Amino acid sequence: ANLKSQSPRETTRMFVWIAHLLFLDEKAQTKGLIVVDDMADIGFWDYMTMLPIQVGISVDRFLISVTPLKAKNVVLMHRPKWAEIGYSLLSWFLTKKMKNRVTMVEKGQENDMMMKVVGGAKFIPIDFSDVEGLISK
């Protein structure tokens, strides 16, 4: 479902349910998560207002203060120009370790890079972006 079509309460509940699902997965806690963001060339304003401000603040506080999970890798694909510029500015302040945890997927390399980073099609939903995944609903 589209996040904007849900009430702020339902969106917050969704994040809490997903977090609890991950809490119960021992591998998520010991090995870390790979977070994939298909930005789909989204505009800056649409990306920043995807969640209502109060929901974003609540989710941010919850994830930072409560979750015992770490991001092993953050994968960004179909990045708009504003995101490329923002990351190149931010990267000046990131440690080498943090930079190694961010993977920028270039256009045309989505399938190959996702197979390499995520571990193969068996870990990717069928309808995720233009990547060949195998997980069905």
Side-chain angles (χ1 to χ4, degrees), residues 34 36 72-73 75 110-124 131-135:
I34 296 175
V36 180
K72 178 180 177 181
N73 197 332
V75 180
E110 296 87 355
N111 213 40
D112 293 338
M113 187 59 85
M114 287 294 290
M115 295 303 160
K116 178 182 168 189
V117 173
V118 176
K122 65 183 178 181
F123 299 108
I124 303 170
V131 180
E132 298 171 13
L134 295 176
I135 299 175

Side-chain angles (χ1 to χ4, degrees), residues 82-134:
W82 65 264
E84 290 178 7
I85 293 168
Y87 179 74
S88 63
L89 293 172
L90 176 66
S91 67
W92 283 77
F93 303 100
L94 298 177
T95 64
K96 184 176 181 180
K97 182 178 178 182
M98 290 302 291
K99 286 180 186 177
N100 289 337
R101 290 185 180 185
V102 178
T103 302
M104 300 293 195
V105 180
E106 300 303 323
K107 291 184 187 339
Q109 299 297 314
E110 296 87 355
N111 213 40
D112 293 338
M113 187 59 85
M114 287 294 290
M115 295 303 160
K116 178 182 168 189
V117 173
V118 176
K122 65 183 178 181
F123 299 108
I124 303 170
I126 288 175
D127 56 354
F128 180 76
S129 189
D130 49 0
V131 180
E132 298 171 13
L134 295 176

Side-chain angles (χ1 to χ4, degrees), residues 1 5 11 21-22 28 34 39 41 48 52 54 71 78 81 85 91 96 104 117 120 123-124 130:
S5 67
T11 302
L21 177 69
L22 295 173
I34 296 175
M39 299 182 81
D41 294 310
M48 293 301 165
Q54 203 53 43
H78 302 124
K81 197 62 164 168
I85 293 168
S91 67
K96 184 176 181 180
M104 300 293 195
V117 173
F123 299 108
I124 303 170
D130 49 0

